[in-house]
Structures are given as structure tokens and as C-alpha cells.
Amino acid sequence: MSFKDRNIWLLMPALLLIGICFLYPVSWLLQRSVSEPVWGLQNYFTIFSKTIYLGVLWNTVAIAGATTILCALIGFPVAYSMVHSSPWVRKILIFSVLIPFWTSILVRSFAWLVILQRGGIINDVLIGVGMMAEPLDLVYNRFGVLLGMVQVLLPFVVFPLFSVMARIDGSFVRAANNLGATPIRAFFRVYLPLCLPGLLTGAMLVFIIALGYFITPALLGGRGDIMIAQLIFERIDEFGDWPLASALAIVLLVGTGLLFLLINALLKIRGGRI
Amino acid sequence: MTDQTKLAGLSRRKFLTTSLYASASVAALGIGTRSAHAAVDLSGREMVFASWGGSYQAAQETAYCNPFMEATGATVIQDGPMNGSKLRTMVEAGAPIWDTVDVTDTFLVANEELFEDLDFDIVDASPLDQAYVHQKGIGCIIWSYNVAFNTDVVGENTPQNWADVFDVEKFPGKRALRDRVYPMMEIALMADGVAREDLYPLDVDRAFAKLDTIKDHVIWYTSNSAAQQLFVDGEVGVGVLLNGRTFDVFKKGAPVNLTWEQNIRSIDYLVIPKGAPNAEVAQHFMNATVDADNQALMANTLAYAPCNPAAFDMIEDDVLPWLATTQENADKGILINAEYWRDNLAEMTERWTEWKLS
């Protein structure tokens, strides 16, 4: 670390901000989750004993996980072509990733509704050219949710990957090829491991952001696509049930924190080998 | 809560005509019912009015707030939108910044401890239909959940009742239903043949069994404006939509209409949050909203039904059929049982979520 201890006061503004705007409210939530209606862990027992809370927790992890995998699979080739194309094409690629990113999530989610619904563009075209007799159900289900979330979160995996890939020395792969590795082998044994820090950072960002998603599943999802943020909103808005909502929020926060530590540890191990 | 039927307004011309008409009737009536609060001088006093925003609150401002300010000299400050958790937090903290708030009946009866008692020495609620008067609030509008349909999609044979909405043979394709345990329990039971007068207490198992039959044919909506869009686009042929929301898109020319058969009425109340800084002004304001002229103006602007029967004499002919409380429409429906939902909402909502995930 290049940071000298005597410069620690430079961190103060950030620490103060986190303290006031994050740690204080979170400790308030934590307190409400264990002190109401009586002191104890009953709110947490409720969450971990009722099928609806477990079901929604599972939904949240499943949707966030699937979003992450899809983002990585789509984002990797995009970042790769960004790095290995002419500056002009690169600019176009960067903008085509950034411009949707700068558009409001709400607008984009509604746009997906217009495109995907039964009377939407895609179904109209499919039926028009005679490929389908009946419109496909592309929205108000898991497919719609994943499509919407992947589009929104893709930049979070593309840009970390891009910055890591841009710094990879091409001679490593060429050396592997010279030493007799097939291109596929060279990719998996040399190139991919070098990309891993970027890939894992991006995937972690996507997964963590996806865990707290609200608007996209609410608008594009169907009956079974409820995520934890929607449940928290409902508990507070409809029932004023701060204790249970707080407990749900704490569960989400702790789960996310553990995941963060896990991936961090993983990165360290990889870092040691590279 | 977002289940309010807040409509986009009528044309400006119509709005102006309505306002003129109402002012004229006020002038014609002279003192009449107005004398009660006209006598009170509240100059220099103020209160904060919070409602659901948009054209709905604008209409309330015209129909209730402005006449009140004129008559008493008080100042009414507009705020909002109403938000259940915000209101609850303010009252719990002991420092509400709202003096009068527009809430739904289910919210009122489930959270009575959050509100001040009305002072019936100040508020003369006698002109109102007493079904819409509560110790903690007075009804300001009545709206309803209706069987709605897109005529382009369903054609000549429009759905007549909830059983039709549940009939996937007769009306193939998707249907739009509200993602909330109320009024879906009532709707499912009526669809299954339960008579209106036998609904409560609800046979929950029967309702869920009925819902199972159309599980995969439903688009569940949480936002009423999204629901309007589903009907306008023809994404769904049939479903449930609020009467005001249907009126809104109908007036704008969409092929969307409704039937009053088995409608489920609900009330919005005006209430005073406990500890409101200007509660006394708010009590006088409550009294002013009872006024038939004001209620008629409100209905003519946005097709929401008045709670004061005398207001009906001043409502325009083309608005009348859209009101949930005309004798004809009211006879075909039920008033939602807010007390039942107060006692069962929390538990039933869990079951609702569980059912959806299953």
C-alpha cells in the first residue's frame, strides 16, 4: 500500500459520509430487527422458518446468479472485441454499452415491455413472417426479468474486464502457442486466468447489485419472480412491519457481505498464482 | 399505497365549464350549507394537505382547498404523495408535517391508532351517507374495482361478471388481475358462484382453488397505470380495473369499457394524523369537504363518486353512469369489508405470496 499512515485523515470525509449515511441507519435497522416486538431473534426465525421468505430468498439468489452468469457469458466476448479492435470500432462499442447504461432503468424496463409483449414488435414480426401462429410469452416471466436485468447490468462486467484485458501482454499467449499449445488450450490456460481478476470483479458487482433489484422484476416479472427487495417494500409500505423488513434487509446485507469476502479471498488465491 | 384511481383530467375546456358551473351553483345556493364554515375566521392560520398527487390532487385542490381558503382565510399547503410508510414514520416520530391526508379505507381501519378523532362539534357529517363516516375520518370519494374489457379483443360478447373473467374457454388469452390479496379473494369467490351477500367471512381455500384454475393465464399487475396500458394495448381482453381508470382511457378513445355487475366499492377517507400541528384547522377543513357543491365539483372533474347524496343533483349526465354510488351501480356491487381486511390482511398477504410462488 502506497498510502502512508499519517495521510489517514484524507479518508475522513468518506468515512464520515459512510458513518452517517450507512452505518447509522443500518445499526438502527439491526436494532429494530432484534428489539421488536420483543427482544430476541424471532424475526430471523420467522424468515428462516416460513416457506415464503425462504422461497423469495432462493428466488433472489437464483435470479441474481443467472443474471451474473449471462452477463459474464455475454460481456466477455464484448470486452474482448473492444480490446482487439481498431480505436474507431472500439469507440462505437464503448458507446453502445454506455448509452443504454445512461438511460433510466424505469424507461428501459417499460421499453422492454413494449418490445416483448404479446402485441409487441418481436411477436408481431414472428407472426407476420409466419414463424409462429400464437404469440410467445416473452415477458411477465423469468425470461423477461433476466433479459431486462442482463441489459441493465452488462456494463458492470464489460468495463472491469475491458480494463484488465487491455493490460494483458499479448506475448504470453503467443509464447504458449509457440510452445505447442492449441489456441483453445492457450486461451484456457493462459488468457482466461489473466482475465479472472476482471471477470470476478465484474461478476461480483453484477451479483451484488442484482441481489437488491426492485423495479425490473416488479415490472417484467410474473407470478413467481418476486425478489427480496419487493418483499421488504411490501412489509413496510403495507404493514408498517419495520422489524421484519429490517431483518430481511440485514439478511440481505450479511449475505452480500459474506459473498464479498468469499470472492475477495478467491481473488487473492488467484492473484498468488498468477 | 398505489391503488388509487388518480385520473388524468378532462379537457381544459370541460374543466373550466365545470368550475364555472360549480361556482355558479355556489352563488345560486348563496349561504346554504356553506354558512357553517363561512362563519369561522381562520385568517393567518395554515394547514398542510397531502394526497396522491397528479390530476386527482389538483381536482381536490379546486374542489375542496380553494373554496375553504376563500371562505375562512386559512392557507392550505399542498404536499404528498401520500405514502403509508412515510405517514406511519412521521406519526411514530411524533412530528407529522401533514394535517389532512387522503387514505384508503383499508389503510384507515388497519391503522386507526395513527389518526386523531374527528370533532363532530366542528365537523357536521349529517349530510353524508353514514356508511362513509368514520370516527377518524370522513369519506371523500368512492371508487370501485370493475370487470373491464377491451372491445377490440373480446368483440360483441363482452364479459358480464367475474365468472366470465375466469372462463378461459370463452375468453382465451391473458387476463389482467390485481397482484394483491384483496380484492382478488372477493373476485375469485364471486367467480366461483358465491353470492355477494355471503362473501364474508371469506372462504379462503375456495378462493385459492378458484385462482388455481387460471394461474397461468394471468398478467398480475401492481401499478394501475400499467394495468391501463395492458387494456389499451389489447395485451389482455378481460380483467379487473378501477372504474376511474377505465373512465380515463374510455374518455381518451380507447376501446375499453366496464360492467358494473359485481363491482367492489372502496372508499378514500380524509383523516388527521395524530399530533398534526394544525389539527384544529384540519377539523374545519373536514367540515368544508362535506359540502355537496364541493363534492359535485370533484365528481364532475374526475368521475369519482361523492359521499354526500345531495351532490348527485349537480352531477353531469355523462359522468353519472361512471359513478360507483348511483343507486343502480351500487345495487350491483358490494362495499369491500375493510374490517375483515384489518383483521386478516397480514396473514393473508403471506399466503398470497406463498400461493404466487407455488
Side-chain angles (χ1 to χ4, degrees):
Chain A
M1 227 184 194
S2 62
F3 218 91
K4 293 208 174 73
D5 284 346
R6 62 190 162 83
N7 285 336
I8 200 87
W9 57 269
L10 286 172
L11 286 174
M12 275 306 159
L15 285 178
L16 216 61
L17 190 73
I18 291 175
I20 295 169
C21 301
F22 182 71
L23 291 179
Y24 172 72
V26 166
S27 59
W28 181 81
L29 284 182
L30 183 62
Q31 196 222 320
R32 282 199 92 154
S33 75
V34 293
S35 66
E36 293 174 35
V38 289
W39 279 94
L41 292 174
Q42 73 275 9
N43 292 314
Y44 294 91
F45 286 132
T46 308
I47 292 172
F48 290 108
S49 62
K50 286 204 177 171
T51 49
I52 73 155
Y53 298 106
L54 288 177
V56 173
L57 278 171
W58 166 245
N59 251 357
T60 308
V61 173
I63 291 174
T67 305
T68 310
I69 291 168
L70 288 170
C71 277
L73 289 177
I74 299 169
F76 195 93
V78 173
Y80 187 87
S81 27
M82 271 184 193
V83 173
H84 298 275
S85 53
S86 66
W88 193 76
V89 176
R90 179 181 305 164
K91 259 182 208 148
I92 292 178
L93 281 172
I94 288 177
F95 271 103
S96 59
V97 176
L98 272 182
I99 285 171
F101 182 62
W102 288 331
T103 313
S104 142
I105 292 182
L106 204 58
V107 170
R108 273 185 288 169
S109 297
F110 274 115
W112 278 119
L113 272 186
V114 174
I115 295 168
L116 298 175
Q117 62 186 0
R118 292 166 69 86
I121 301 165
I122 294 182
N123 272 317
D124 276 359
V125 169
L126 287 178
I127 293 170
V129 299
M131 278 179 70
M132 297 282 163
E134 279 289 299
L136 292 170
D137 284 325
L138 300 171
V139 74
Y140 306 116
N141 51 27
R142 188 62 58 92
F143 177 81
V145 175
L146 289 179
L147 196 59
M149 287 179 69
V150 166
Q151 197 228 356
V152 172
L153 294 171
L154 199 55
F156 290 97
V157 73
V158 169
F159 287 109
L161 260 179
F162 173 77
S163 72
V164 167
M165 282 177 175
R167 279 183 282 127
I168 293 174
D169 189 340
S171 57
F172 289 155
V173 178
R174 283 197 299 278
N177 284 332
N178 277 340
L179 294 169
T182 59
I184 292 174
R185 194 174 163 85
F187 173 81
F188 280 106
R189 293 297 297 274
V190 179
Y191 194 77
L192 188 63
L194 288 171
C195 294
L196 267 186
L199 191 60
L200 282 175
T201 310
M204 184 175 73
L205 276 174
V206 170
F207 189 73
I208 287 173
I209 299 172
L211 282 176
Y213 248 52
F214 179 74
I215 302 250
T216 313
L219 283 177
L220 303 180
R223 185 164 49 86
D225 302 311
I226 311 159
M227 289 180 78
I228 199 167
Q230 288 161 272
L231 210 57
I232 293 174
F233 174 80
E234 183 187 89
R235 295 313 303 185
I236 295 176
D237 196 62
E238 189 111 14
F239 305 110
D241 189 354
W242 283 93
L244 195 75
S246 305
L248 279 169
I250 298 287
V251 167
L252 183 61
L253 183 71
V254 169
T256 312
L258 287 177
L259 198 90
F260 178 81
L261 291 177
L262 187 80
I263 294 176
N264 227 16
L266 219 71
L267 273 176
K268 280 216 179 81
I269 294 167
R270 300 298 323 182
R273 270 179 52 184
I274 289 166
Chain B
M1 248 174 272
T2 49
D3 66 331
Q4 296 307 293
T5 40
K6 309 314 171 204
L7 293 168
L10 304 175
S11 71
R12 183 172 183 84
R13 184 194 200 100
K14 172 142 189 189
F15 179 74
L16 287 173
T17 327
T18 325
S19 316
L20 281 174
Y21 171 69
S23 340
S25 43
V26 169
L29 284 170
I31 36 173
T33 48
R34 305 207 133 229
S35 57
H37 56 80
V40 186
D41 182 18
L42 297 168
S43 329
R45 309 279 296 273
E46 59 175 41
M47 65 156 243
V48 180
F49 177 72
S51 184
W52 301 83
S55 51
Y56 176 60
Q57 190 165 347
Q60 287 179 314
E61 191 177 355
T62 312
Y64 299 133
C65 302
N66 293 344
F68 175 69
M69 288 200 280
E70 226 168 273
T72 61
T75 307
V76 178
I77 299 157
Q78 301 291 322
D79 198 10
M82 153 66 188
N83 172 297
S85 44
K86 191 171 170 185
L87 175 63
R88 206 179 268 119
T89 313
M90 286 197 285
V91 174
E92 278 175 14
I97 55 165
W98 294 338
D99 298 301
T100 304
V101 188
D102 184 315
V103 299
T104 56
D105 51 354
T106 35
F107 188 85
L108 168 62
V109 299
N111 299 283
E112 284 174 354
E113 72 285 358
L114 296 178
F115 307 112
E116 298 270 3
D117 281 338
L118 290 188
D119 180 351
F120 288 108
D121 289 339
I122 297 176
V123 185
D124 177 13
S126 59
L128 297 182
D129 182 332
Q130 294 304 299
Y132 311 129
V133 180
H134 187 276
Q135 182 59 41
K136 310 250 175 192
I138 49 172
C140 61
I141 54 155
I142 297 132
W143 46 280
S144 61
Y145 294 107
N146 291 67
V147 174
F149 48 87
N150 179 311
T151 42
D152 283 354
V153 177
V154 299
E156 294 282 299
N157 289 323
T158 58
Q160 301 302 312
N161 49 38
W162 297 118
D164 282 351
V165 173
F166 276 64
D167 190 337
V168 292
E169 305 277 302
K170 211 161 150 191
F171 297 99
K174 296 278 176 182
R175 47 264 294 123
L177 295 175
R178 187 114 173 84
D179 183 5
R180 179 174 267 171
V181 65
Y182 70 88
M184 285 314 304
M185 291 290 109
E186 285 90 341
I187 287 175
L189 288 172
M190 286 195 270
D192 206 27
V194 177
R196 282 180 285 147
E197 56 277 15
D198 301 333
L199 277 176
Y200 298 101
L202 301 172
D203 185 344
V204 177
D205 293 329
R206 185 170 170 182
F208 278 113
K210 184 68 182 174
L211 284 164
D212 279 336
T213 63
I214 55 159
K215 224 173 186 179
D216 300 324
H217 303 271
V218 180
I219 295 174
W220 298 100
Y221 67 84
T222 47
S223 135
N224 286 309
S225 32
Q228 281 181 306
Q229 206 57 48
L230 291 172
F231 280 96
V232 172
D233 291 347
E235 269 305 280
V236 297
V238 296
V240 55
L241 195 63
L242 305 185
N243 71 316
R245 292 281 179 168
T246 319
F247 175 76
D248 180 33
V249 291
F250 177 85
K251 283 275 161 178
K252 289 173 181 161
V256 179
N257 214 322
L258 55 73
T259 166
W260 285 97
E261 208 54 56
Q262 299 179 325
N263 73 80
I264 302 168
R265 287 193 306 287
S266 200
I267 311 160
D268 260 30
Y269 281 93
L270 294 179
V271 294
I272 305 173
K274 193 155 268 177
N278 305 299
E280 197 200 329
V281 184
Q283 298 276 7
H284 288 286
F285 177 73
M286 296 291 201
N287 186 47
T289 64
V290 170
D291 198 290
D293 307 310
N294 295 353
Q295 296 217 345
L297 179 53
M298 184 76 202
N300 281 330
T301 315
L302 281 180
Y304 280 117
C307 306
N308 184 340
F312 278 106
D313 298 339
M314 290 170 272
I315 289 172
E316 289 164 18
D317 289 344
D318 60 333
V319 174
L320 214 52
W322 289 90
L323 299 184
T325 52
T326 62
Q327 199 58 49
E328 199 190 345
N329 291 342
D331 284 348
K332 291 179 185 162
I334 57 151
L335 182 62
I336 201 163
N337 186 334
E339 281 77 20
Y340 177 86
W341 286 111
R342 171 192 58 208
D343 299 337
N344 296 286
L345 184 60
E347 189 195 325
M348 296 273 288
T349 299
E350 280 194 346
R351 187 153 172 199
W352 177 252
T353 310
E354 203 163 359
W355 177 79
K356 282 201 302 167
L357 289 172
S358 68

